[in-house]
C-alpha cells in the first residue's frame, strides 16, 4: 500500500524517518508531500495513495475525490475539524486521529503563554506571577488535564468545566468543578481553552462569557480560532481595558486586534502548540502504527467517523 504524509507544516526529519521505518516494516511504501503551497499539489499527490497522514491540512471532499484508492486518513494530532468526515464516510474511508500524542507540547505552550503575557511579553515593566491566581480549564480532556497538572506546580488554583467528564474524576485530581461555564469565567484570572471546533463550540466564546472575567482576566487559546466570536472579542476588549487575549491561532482579525490592543493581545506567527520534536514523533509514529495495524488487522480503535 502507498502511505502519503501530506504536511503543509512538516514534521521534523526525525519523525518522518521513524514514520518511514514503521511503514516500510509493515510492508508498505512511504511518499511525502511537505510544505506544499498549492492544493493542486495535494490533489496530485493523493492520486495513488491508499493511506494518508496529515496534520492540520484540510482533507476536503475535493481531496477525497482526487484520491480514488484512499482507504484510511489519519490526522496526526487531536482535533479533526480539518477532515471532511461525511465525505470520508460516503466513500467508506476510515478517518482517525491520534489523541493524546501531542498533548504535553500544547499544555506546556499554554503555561508558557500565561507567563509571557503576565510578564508584558518579555518587555521591560512590572508584570505579575501565576502563583495564587485561578486558572479555569474549559474542557478537561488530554490537554486540559495536563495544563491543570502543570499549573498546580506554579501554585495556581485550578477550576475546570467539562460537561463530558464526570465531576468526581476531575475532583479526584485536585481540581475544583465549576458550577457552569459562566461560573468558570467569573472566577478565573486565566481561562485556557481546550475545546474542539464543532458546530456547537464555533463562535461560542464571546462577550457574554468574557465580560464575566475578573479584573485583569486573560483568555488563553491553544485550541482553535473558530471557537472565538471575534467581533465580540473586540467589543469586550474595548470595554474592558484590563482584559487580555493570547492565542496560538491568529484571529482572522488579528491585525485589528494588534493595532487596537497592543500588548494586551498576542498571537504566535504560526500555530506552534504541537511543534516539538517529541510531539512530532509521538503523533507521527502513532499515525503510522495505526495505519499499519489497520491494514494488517482491521483495527479501527481511533476511528472518528463511526
Ligand atoms: C491538534 O489538534 O493536534 C493540534 O492543534 C496540532 O495541530 P498541528 O498538527 O497542525 O500542529
Amino acid at each position: 500500500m502507498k502511505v502519503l504524509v501530506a504536511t503543509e507544516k512538516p514534521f521534523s526529519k526525525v519523525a518522518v524517518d521513524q514514520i518511514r521505518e514503521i511503514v516500510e516494516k509493515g510492508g508498505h511504501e512511504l511518499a511525502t508531500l511537505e510544505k506544499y503551497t498549492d492544493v493542486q499539489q495535494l490533489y496530485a499527490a493523493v492520486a495513488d495513495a491508499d493511506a494518508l497522514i496529515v496534520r492540520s491540512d484540510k482533507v476536503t471532499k475535493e481531496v477525497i475525490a482526487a484520491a480514488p484508492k484512499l482507504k484510511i486518513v489519519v490526522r496526526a494530532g487531536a482535533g479533526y475539524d480539518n477532515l471532511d468526515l461525511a465525505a470520508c464516510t460516503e466513500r467508506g474511508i476510515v478517518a482517525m486521529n491520534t489523541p493524546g500524542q501531542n498533548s504535553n507540547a500544547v499544555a506546556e505552550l499554554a503555561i508558557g503563554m500565561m507567563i509571557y503575557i503576565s510578564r508584558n511579553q518579555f518587555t521591560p515593566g512590572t508584570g505579575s506571577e501565576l502563583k495564587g491566581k485561578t486558572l479555569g480549564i474549559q474542557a478537561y480532556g488530554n490537554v486540559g488535564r495536563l495544563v491543570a497538572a502543570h499549573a498546580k506546580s506554579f501554585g495556581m488554583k485550578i477550576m475546570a468545566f467539562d460537561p463530558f467528564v464526570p465531576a468526581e474524576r476531575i475532583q479526584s485530581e485536585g481540581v475544583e468543578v465549576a458550577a457552569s461555564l459562566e461560573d468558570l469565567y467569573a472566577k478565573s484570572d486565566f481561562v485556557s481553552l481546550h475545546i474542539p471546533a464543532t458546530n456547537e463550540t464555533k463562535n461560542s466564546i464571546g462577550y457574554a462569557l468574557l465580560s464575566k472575567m475578573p479584573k485583569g482576566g486573560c483568555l488563553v487559546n491553544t485550541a482553535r480560532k473558530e471557537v472565538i466570536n471575534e467581533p465580540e472579542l473586540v467589543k469586550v476588549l474595548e470595554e474592558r481595558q484590563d482584559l487580555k487575549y493570547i492565542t496560538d491561532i491568529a484571529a482572522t482579525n488579528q491585525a485589528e486586534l494588534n493595532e487596537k490592543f497592543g500588548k494586551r493581545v498576542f498571537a504566535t506567527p504560526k500555530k506552534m502548540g504541537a511543534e516539538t520534536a517529541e510531539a512530532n514523533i509521538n503523533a507521527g509514529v502513532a499515525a503510522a502504527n495505526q495505519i499499519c495495524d489497520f491494514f494488517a488487522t482491521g483495527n479501527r480503535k481511533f476511528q472518528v467517523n463511526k
Side-chain angles (χ1 to χ4, degrees):
M1 300 282 180
K2 184 161 180 180
V3 180
L4 173 70
V5 173
T7 45
E8 179 270 322
K9 184 174 67 181
F11 288 122
S12 60
K13 185 181 176 308
V14 60
V16 176
D17 288 347
Q18 291 194 27
I19 292 169
R20 185 181 305 281
E21 203 181 312
I22 292 164
V23 166
E24 290 178 355
K25 213 169 163 188
H28 310 294
E29 182 196 340
L30 188 84
T32 56
L33 173 70
E34 297 182 319
K35 293 189 187 171
Y36 57 92
T37 49
D38 191 321
V39 74
Q40 295 297 336
Q41 294 169 271
L42 181 58
Y43 296 158
V46 296
D48 59 352
D50 298 282
L52 178 60
I53 297 174
V54 292
R55 295 186 63 178
S56 288
D57 309 78
K58 287 192 169 47
V59 181
T60 60
K61 58 179 185 308
E62 289 78 15
V63 174
I64 301 289
K69 296 169 72 183
L70 196 63
K71 297 155 191 68
I72 176 168
V73 49
V74 181
R75 192 286 191 240
Y80 47 88
D81 46 303
N82 54 321
L83 309 182
D84 187 330
L85 294 186
C88 289
T89 305
E90 199 180 313
R91 272 271 310 281
I93 295 165
V94 171
M96 294 185 184
N97 66 347
T98 64
Q101 299 294 345
N102 58 20
S103 304
N104 187 63
V106 180
E108 286 189 11
L109 185 73
I111 300 286
M113 287 181 131
M114 287 195 282
I115 295 174
Y116 187 63
I117 199 97
S118 299
R119 294 299 184 96
N120 304 319
Q121 303 189 20
F122 297 167
T123 57
T126 304
S128 58
E129 301 179 18
L130 302 187
K131 186 178 177 183
K133 306 293 186 307
T134 299
L135 168 63
I137 308 277
Q138 185 174 349
Y140 202 72
N142 290 315
V143 182
R145 203 172 166 197
L146 282 167
V147 174
H150 297 328
K152 253 186 253 171
S153 66
F154 282 87
M156 298 186 87
K157 178 183 171 189
I158 323 291
M159 294 185 80
F161 181 77
D162 191 329
F164 302 103
V165 178
E168 308 76 58
R169 215 196 90 200
I170 299 175
Q171 284 155 344
S172 74
E173 295 179 5
V175 174
E176 194 180 314
V177 175
S180 63
L181 197 51
E182 289 71 21
D183 185 45
L184 185 82
Y185 277 75
K187 291 179 177 156
S188 299
D189 299 300
F190 293 87
V191 170
S192 191
L193 297 176
H194 303 292
I195 45 176
T198 64
N199 288 340
E200 289 71 40
T201 64
K202 280 180 187 165
N203 280 309
S204 66
I205 312 300
Y207 188 86
L209 288 171
L210 295 170
S211 59
K212 291 198 163 44
M213 290 190 82
K215 190 165 173 3
C218 178
L219 180 67
V220 182
N221 186 2
T222 54
R224 291 289 182 269
K225 72 171 179 177
E226 290 81 3
V227 301
I228 306 291
N229 183 319
E230 294 184 359
E232 291 190 20
L233 174 66
V234 172
K235 182 170 143 69
V236 77
L237 288 172
E238 271 170 347
E239 274 183 35
R240 291 272 309 272
Q241 303 286 318
D242 57 303
L243 294 183
K244 294 176 182 160
Y245 178 58
I246 185 160
T247 181
D248 188 31
I249 323 92
T252 311
N253 64 349
Q254 193 64 44
E256 180 193 359
L257 292 177
N258 292 343
E259 199 187 310
K260 282 191 167 152
F261 307 112
K263 284 264 180 300
R264 291 168 55 207
V265 297
F266 176 81
T268 54
K270 193 169 176 90
K271 188 168 66 154
M272 58 178 290
E275 285 294 74
T276 64
E278 294 88 341
N280 277 192
I281 292 169
N282 291 343
V285 161
N289 278 327
Q290 286 171 214
I291 286 172
C292 290
D293 203 18
F294 172 74
F295 284 138
T297 69
N299 189 342
R300 295 173 177 224
K301 182 171 174 201
F302 296 105
Q303 186 172 358
V304 293
N305 62 336
K306 282 181 205 170

